[in-house]
Amino acid sequence: QLVTMGIDGGDRQLVYETTERIEAPNWSPDGAWLVFNAHGALWRIPADGSAAPEQIPTGDVTGVNNDHVLSPDGQTIYFSANGHLYALPFAGGEPRRVSNDHPVERQFKYYLHGVSPDNATLAYAGVEAVGDSPWGRIDLFTIPVAGGPDTRLTDYPAPDDGPEYSPDGLHIYFNSERNATVPGHAQCYRMATDGSHVEQLTHDKRVNWFPHISPHGRWVIYISFPPGTLKHPANKDVILRRMRPDGS
């Protein structure tokens, strides 16, 4: 089910229902559309559910995953597929690759999570192999929307994930296991956009992931798994929680 609800959890509206897997709905900035992924492709649907989903053409690029965001002006969809980052007009077309090639032995993969308010920079989780594990290292990076060098923001043994810019451009919110006593027990954090001044925002026994900031910057919504959950698996009794940007 693709569902919208009010910021207080009320006014639940069923937009679309299917027996197939659909993921990661993103609002268009004008509130008219929801963009999601399914079957390795991107789709859009009117946010009021008044029409059926339509596929967004992505040219020769397939394997689209659930890491995609819309530019602040709504003209571009940035997305991840097959370990790389792409930019695509909202109407669809031939994507432009943004990400770089890395040495094969690193097995480096890009997983997109955020775009800066000035539409100049993308924030992503960079995954690379350590030993026999292809997920051995997960750190946070940025890259110019136009393409260019990767800039490392975190360099920590524990995984960091889900970087998203605040609307004022002052912070990047993310989740991390850096203070976890059990591997996989993530909490929500924020830092300056250069990777400095890291602050932990949630401090409870639940497992908290993927903080998303409201367009006006007054609220943060994140997904919260039951205590004892490892990572962010499917089929758990999750809740959505709301907090102020400072974690209160």
Side-chain angles (χ1 to χ4, degrees):
Q1 292 184 336
L2 178 53
V3 176
T4 63
M5 67 175 70
I7 193 68
D8 61 354
D11 191 27
R12 180 184 171 96
Q13 301 291 328
L14 177 63
V15 177
Y16 177 60
E17 187 169 21
T18 176
T19 59
E20 300 170 339
R21 176 182 294 184
I22 59 175
E23 298 178 310
N26 280 279
W27 291 95
S28 61
D30 62 7
W33 297 92
L34 292 167
V35 174
F36 63 93
N37 65 283
H39 301 294
L42 289 170
W43 302 76
R44 61 175 166 249
I45 187 172
D48 61 2
S50 59
E54 58 185 58
Q55 187 171 347
I56 302 172
T58 56
D60 294 332
V61 178
T62 58
V64 177
N65 64 16
N66 59 5
D67 298 318
H68 42 85
V69 297
L70 274 69
S71 62
D73 62 7
Q75 298 301 304
T76 305
I77 303 172
Y78 301 108
F79 67 93
S80 302
N82 307 309
H84 279 285
L85 305 181
Y86 296 88
L88 178 75
F90 184 79
E94 191 62 42
R96 171 180 60 86
R97 202 179 95 178
V98 177
S99 51
N100 299 306
D101 289 317
H102 293 266
V104 174
E105 60 270 18
R106 290 184 69 188
Q107 299 183 43
F108 192 93
K109 295 180 175 63
Y110 293 75
Y111 292 93
L112 179 65
H113 281 276
V115 58
S116 61
D118 61 2
N119 196 33
T121 309
L122 300 178
Y124 68 91
V127 177
E128 54 189 311
V130 175
D132 294 331
S133 173
W135 294 86
R137 184 85 184 201
I138 308 175
D139 287 305
L140 306 184
F141 299 79
T142 60
I143 188 171
V145 163
D150 300 283
T151 299
R152 178 185 290 273
L153 299 183
T154 66
D155 190 359
Y156 204 84
D160 300 317
D161 204 350
E164 181 172 313
Y165 283 89
S166 60
D168 59 12
L170 298 179
H171 293 96
I172 289 177
Y173 286 74
F174 64 104
N175 58 270
S176 177
E177 298 174 35
R178 59 183 59 206
N179 291 321
T181 57
V182 178
H185 278 210
Q187 296 291 324
C188 295
Y189 293 76
R190 72 177 178 182
M191 61 184 169
T193 53
D194 63 359
S196 63
H197 300 96
V198 175
E199 303 174 71
Q200 185 171 343
L201 301 178
T202 60
H203 301 79
D204 55 75
K205 293 183 179 181
R206 298 186 65 86
V207 181
N208 302 313
W209 285 76
F210 301 137
H212 294 300
I213 304 89
S214 61
H216 51 45
R218 291 197 294 271
W219 296 114
V220 177
I221 302 291
Y222 61 95
I223 189 168
S224 185
F225 291 80
T229 305
L230 299 183
K231 303 297 182 180
H232 56 291
N235 304 317
K236 293 291 184 178
D237 187 16
V238 298
I239 59 175
L240 295 179
R241 297 186 110 179
R242 181 178 64 171
M243 64 180 173
R244 294 291 187 182
D246 64 357
S248 58

